[in-house]
Amino acid sequence: MATSSKLNAKIPDGTLESKWTKYRSTVHLVNPANKRSLEIIVVGTGLAGSSAASSLAEMGYKVKVFCFQDSPRRAHSIAAQGGVNAAKNYQNDGDSVYRLFYDTIKGGDYRAREANVHRLAEVSGNIIDQCVAQGVPFAREYGGTLSNRSFGGTQVQRTFYAAGQTGQQLLLGAYSALQRQVGMGAVKLMARHEMMDVVNIDGKCRGIIARDLITGKLERHFGHAVLLCTGGYGNVFYLSTNAMGCNVTAAWKAHKKGAFFGNPCYTQIHPTCIPVSGDHQSKLTLMSESLRNDGRIWVPKKQGDTRRPNEIPEEERDYYLERRYPAFGNLVPRDVASRAAKERCDAGYGVGTSKMAVYLDFAFNTARYGTIEATKNNLHNPSKEEIIRLGKEVVKEKYGNLFDMYKQITGEDPYEIPMRIYPAVHYTMGGLWVDYNLMTTVPGLYALGEANFSDHGANRLGASALMQGLADGYFVIPYTIGDYLSDEIRTKSIPTDHEAFVKAEAEVQERITKLLSIKGTKSVDSFHKRLGKIMWDKCGMARNASGLQSAILEIQQLKKEFWLDVRVPGEANEFNPELEKAHRVADFIELGELMCIDALTRNESCGGHFREEYQTADGEALRDDDNYAYVAAWEYIADSNFELHKEELKYENIKLAQRNYA
């Protein structure tokens, strides 16, 4: 197949290993004096946004950064638990840049761009050095070297971590770098502001319309370039591991102003989440994938077994991941582990009151750690109780905050009985289509981190989200943005009374007025819940043609009802969280329709996109490389009207093969 004429990935020439090095040596530059007159807007202050804003300000650009929270420290990056990948081979277990590159391509089921993924692997080691220099308290071995642990989809230990709060510690490092630039006057921080639209002038992105969430006032902001670092869209499912404020609005507004949306149907289901407990829930809680490093996943061999887990003897337990995938065991990729859990529960082997859960058991490795500690402490013939006590201390040091969180939520002590887990929506591999420079199809508009589609294919390996966000912000965009801005040094600051700004603000105001004037009978949340159920049932862990066709019609009907019967209390010019939610849910509804269209169009299974019609005899994803080895880049034409453009994926360094983790 040929790549659409509307897409140019701008991948550099040369061998895979030399592309990024050659690019950095030949890319256009902006001299220091000119940087001081160029203005950059960064929307979002998670790892991608904070690292990009601080890096660009350090280089001399004038930066304005926006977040809808009261502080950048509340960005959802803070919720990441398990770790960040890097190919440093500290364990001397065979890791390398190529191995990280290969694992990522394979883990994404061969649906990612080779050049972008190799660049990510190349700069991964720099991320760790940068964060250590910032004071991030990574776990260390007894001798002082940084510690690593295993994550899914790999057979090496390359994940650097800070207990079960790696995201928080990394964000504090990036936040410190950002605040340093704020203190120096190089960055203007606009907290409690939400981007409502982008402003294009003569075919280039030249700014945004933002809303002050405290006063409700609409504001116009000019920028020579705009960077969207606004995360993913998992909350389209309503119940997900994402913070309640996570939304797609910035990316969706950009999409409707010309930025193509890449692979929207690629959604990651995380296998280790606390199961749903009832209709009252508004979000789900993640238990880090790092727990699969030391935990063993199982279900009873007997269907409908009601015994407590500690009453079920070893020979009556089915360690189904170890049985089905002996080479990787409990550390298969997330999409594989999630489908396997669903299959066991659907077959009647689920546990807990809902029977929609499996066990994550730490007893085996607790005993192993305890035996090691007893030997280190020169304890001869220790009792079983002593071994367990010593083992628990090691587990507590590695995962203590996660175990405490689980106990607070469920009332069960995971040190004593196995955790109950079940898959839940977590990450979205789809996002705005970007080229090698991280620029969207709108010149001057960039997307970084989870907001873009670029590095993970159809499934993300654990601990790669933090890696991508920091790579994009610290080590990619500082080089690539110069290629565009070098041609903008003669462009003066455009006054915000320009007709394009006036028109964009008027459109935002019209939408606000319309939402408040409906005065219907149903809450915003009720529509969000209904959308989430449609998406989970028909475009969730498994999809099929009839379900997707039905979902599209249901979402179109839901959209009509929303604009006829939604109730948004309060006024426009005040603090109004319900109005904020109404904007976001309206965008989710439109995105949900595109996700189902994309899933219906892709007649294959790959990674997190599992079409029930396309699976192997063993129930694994069955790709169709002859017809679907492409990035689906969707162009917005009109309401419910999208045009598909294809970017052909060429694999010159890796042989396409059916994924095998057995």
Side-chain angles (χ1 to χ4, degrees):
M1 77 195 69
T3 295
S4 167
S5 60
K6 290 190 175 183
L7 300 174
N8 181 1
K10 299 180 181 176
I11 298 171
D13 294 328
T15 64
L16 186 67
E17 296 79 10
S18 67
K19 289 181 187 293
W20 179 234
T21 300
K22 182 180 179 182
Y23 176 95
R24 287 181 296 161
S25 301
T26 57
V27 69
H28 295 148
L29 302 175
V30 180
N31 80 43
N34 286 333
K35 286 175 183 172
R36 292 192 287 270
S37 63
L38 292 171
E39 302 176 49
I40 300 174
I41 289 174
V42 178
V43 184
T45 57
L47 288 179
S50 288
S51 59
S54 58
S55 298
L56 295 172
E58 181 79 27
M59 294 169 70
Y61 294 108
K62 296 166 64 176
V63 179
K64 192 180 289 185
V65 63
F66 294 78
C67 67
F68 65 74
Q69 301 95 342
D70 59 349
S71 167
R73 291 187 300 169
R74 296 191 185 277
H76 187 59
S77 298
I78 202 171
Q81 298 167 344
V84 53
N85 288 331
K88 280 185 168 290
N89 196 30
Y90 277 11
Q91 308 300 311
N92 196 29
D93 56 2
D95 201 10
S96 65
V97 167
Y98 183 86
R99 180 84 63 178
L100 175 53
F101 158 72
Y102 176 80
D103 286 345
T104 305
I105 291 284
K106 178 183 176 183
D109 216 353
Y110 303 93
R111 289 294 178 261
R113 232 191 243 150
E114 279 193 340
N116 286 66
V117 176
H118 197 275
R119 176 176 65 186
L120 177 65
E122 284 182 71
V123 305
S124 64
N126 296 338
I127 294 170
I128 306 305
D129 297 338
Q130 170 83 5
C131 294
V132 168
Q134 290 175 337
V136 174
F138 286 121
R140 293 180 181 268
E141 301 292 352
Y142 179 78
T145 57
L146 297 181
S147 181
N148 289 134
R149 58 189 176 199
S150 299
F151 259 61
T154 71
Q155 292 178 305
V156 299
Q157 295 185 77
R158 65 163 66 101
T159 304
F160 296 77
Y161 64 97
Q165 51 182 248
T166 312
Q168 178 178 356
Q169 298 303 328
L170 291 174
L171 185 60
L172 288 173
Y175 169 74
S176 298
L178 175 63
Q179 286 300 115
R180 176 173 178 268
Q181 298 301 323
V182 171
M184 295 170 63
V187 171
K188 184 175 182 181
L189 175 61
M190 309 288 287
R192 288 291 194 185
H193 280 69
E194 182 158 27
M195 193 200 96
M196 306 301 292
D197 209 347
V198 296
V199 179
N200 296 336
I201 299 176
D202 297 330
K204 295 181 178 181
C205 184
R206 292 302 191 190
I208 67 171
I209 303 298
R211 181 172 180 266
D212 184 326
L213 297 182
I214 302 299
T215 66
K217 180 184 177 183
L218 296 180
E219 301 174 358
R220 310 167 191 170
H221 297 274
F222 164 79
H224 288 90
V226 174
L227 278 56
L228 300 185
C229 311
T230 50
Y233 49 87
N235 276 351
V236 69
F237 291 88
Y238 186 69
L239 285 180
S240 80
T241 65
N242 289 255
M244 289 297 292
C246 293
N247 63 86
V248 75
T249 288
W252 194 249
K253 298 308 185 192
H255 174 56
K256 295 180 79 169
K257 285 293 181 72
F260 291 6
F261 213 104
N263 298 331
C265 78
Y266 286 169
T267 306
Q268 178 163 85
I269 311 296
H270 198 295
T272 53
C273 298
I274 297 178
V276 176
S277 61
D279 292 338
H280 64 282
Q281 280 184 271
S282 57
K283 78 175 299 293
L284 299 174
T285 303
L286 172 69
M287 289 286 103
S288 169
E289 176 163 308
S290 63
L291 297 175
R292 289 201 281 150
N293 180 48
D294 284 321
R296 300 178 71 193
I297 296 173
W298 63 275
V299 293
K301 289 183 178 179
K302 176 185 175 183
Q303 288 182 327
D305 198 325
T306 58
R307 288 176 292 176
R308 291 173 59 82
N310 293 345
E311 297 172 352
I312 301 175
E314 187 74 12
E315 63 272 14
E316 296 182 33
R317 300 179 178 188
D318 178 16
Y319 295 92
Y320 59 88
L321 291 178
E322 298 172 36
R323 169 173 55 81
R324 291 180 60 178
Y325 312 101
F328 283 74
N330 296 294
L331 289 172
V332 291
R334 290 175 175 177
D335 62 314
V336 176
S338 294
R339 283 196 295 273
K342 181 179 186 295
E343 185 276 328
R344 288 290 80 190
C345 291
D346 289 349
Y349 296 93
V351 302
T353 54
S354 69
K355 300 301 179 184
M356 295 301 288
V358 299
Y359 288 128
L360 178 58
D361 195 340
F362 279 77
F364 179 83
N365 278 309
T366 298
R368 182 174 66 88
Y369 283 132
T371 301
I372 294 171
E373 289 300 301
T375 302
K376 286 164 59 176
N377 289 296
N378 202 28
L379 296 176
H380 301 290
N381 299 317
S383 65
K384 181 179 179 180
E385 290 74 17
E386 185 71 8
I387 288 175
I388 297 302
R389 183 186 67 80
L390 291 171
K392 285 180 179 178
E393 291 178 2
V394 176
V395 171
K396 185 174 183 179
E397 183 178 352
K398 294 164 80 73
Y399 311 109
N401 65 309
L402 299 174
F403 277 52
D404 292 344
M405 184 165 62
Y406 181 88
K407 184 176 181 179
Q408 289 173 6
I409 292 172
T410 67
E412 299 174 358
D413 186 352
Y415 291 106
E416 302 298 331
I417 59 174
M419 290 182 179
R420 288 176 294 107
I421 59 169
Y422 192 72
V425 174
H426 179 55
Y427 187 92
T428 49
M429 286 75 66
L432 294 178
W433 184 93
V434 293
D435 61 19
Y436 191 74
N437 294 337
L438 305 184
M439 188 188 290
T440 70
T441 47
V442 177
L445 179 63
Y446 294 79
L448 282 65
E450 194 179 355
N452 74 37
F453 88 98
S454 67
D455 290 3
H456 306 297
N459 172 65
R460 177 176 67 79
L461 292 183
S464 288
L466 303 184
M467 177 174 61
Q468 186 207 351
L470 291 173
D472 286 356
Y474 281 137
F475 301 111
V476 178
I477 198 66
Y479 288 100
T480 62
I481 200 169
D483 192 53
Y484 173 76
L485 291 179
S486 61
D487 290 331
E488 296 297 317
I489 57 177
R490 293 180 180 85
T491 302
K492 303 299 181 185
S493 231
I494 298 175
T496 55
D497 60 0
H498 186 284
E499 62 179 349
F501 279 95
V502 174
K503 181 182 178 183
E505 182 182 330
E507 290 172 350
V508 173
Q509 185 60 61
E510 181 182 0
R511 183 180 171 96
I512 291 172
T513 302
K514 184 175 180 180
L515 283 168
L516 291 171
S517 65
I518 296 171
K519 300 187 184 305
T521 63
K522 297 183 178 69
S523 69
V524 175
D525 278 339
S526 69
F527 285 99
H528 198 176
K529 285 183 179 180
R530 288 169 62 190
L531 173 66
K533 180 167 176 51
I534 295 170
M535 294 300 295
W536 178 251
D537 289 346
K538 299 178 179 179
C539 195
M541 257 198 286
R543 303 100 183 257
N544 59 60
S546 61
L548 291 167
Q549 291 164 350
S550 172
I552 292 169
L553 295 176
E554 290 178 47
I555 292 171
Q556 290 173 347
Q557 179 59 36
L558 184 69
K559 180 165 54 177
K560 292 178 183 177
E561 287 186 43
F562 177 89
W563 287 104
L564 288 173
D565 200 26
V566 71
R567 183 181 72 255
V568 182
E571 303 295 333
N573 297 319
E574 65 180 8
F575 177 62
N576 191 341
E578 286 300 305
L579 179 58
E580 296 172 36
K581 283 196 293 184
H583 282 290
R584 298 167 186 170
V585 171
D587 294 330
F588 275 138
I589 292 173
E590 294 182 2
L591 167 69
E593 182 180 2
L594 178 58
M595 290 173 67
C596 294
I597 292 171
D598 186 38
L600 183 61
T601 304
R602 187 172 285 276
N603 294 317
E604 66 164 353
S605 291
C606 56
H609 167 65
F610 191 76
R611 284 282 297 272
E612 293 174 338
E613 306 97 320
Y614 308 102
Q615 55 182 298
T616 67
D618 297 325
E620 304 294 346
L622 183 62
R623 296 195 322 269
D624 179 354
D625 296 326
D626 291 336
N627 296 300
Y628 295 97
Y630 63 76
V631 177
W634 293 91
E635 179 182 7
Y636 179 84
I637 304 299
D639 187 36
S640 296
N641 185 2
F642 307 90
E643 181 179 349
L644 173 61
H645 301 273
K646 300 176 182 179
E647 178 199 339
E648 182 182 1
L649 291 170
K650 297 180 180 179
Y651 293 96
E652 301 171 348
N653 299 272
I654 284 180
K655 182 181 178 181
L656 287 168
Q658 181 69 31
R659 282 193 307 174
N660 182 5
Y661 292 97

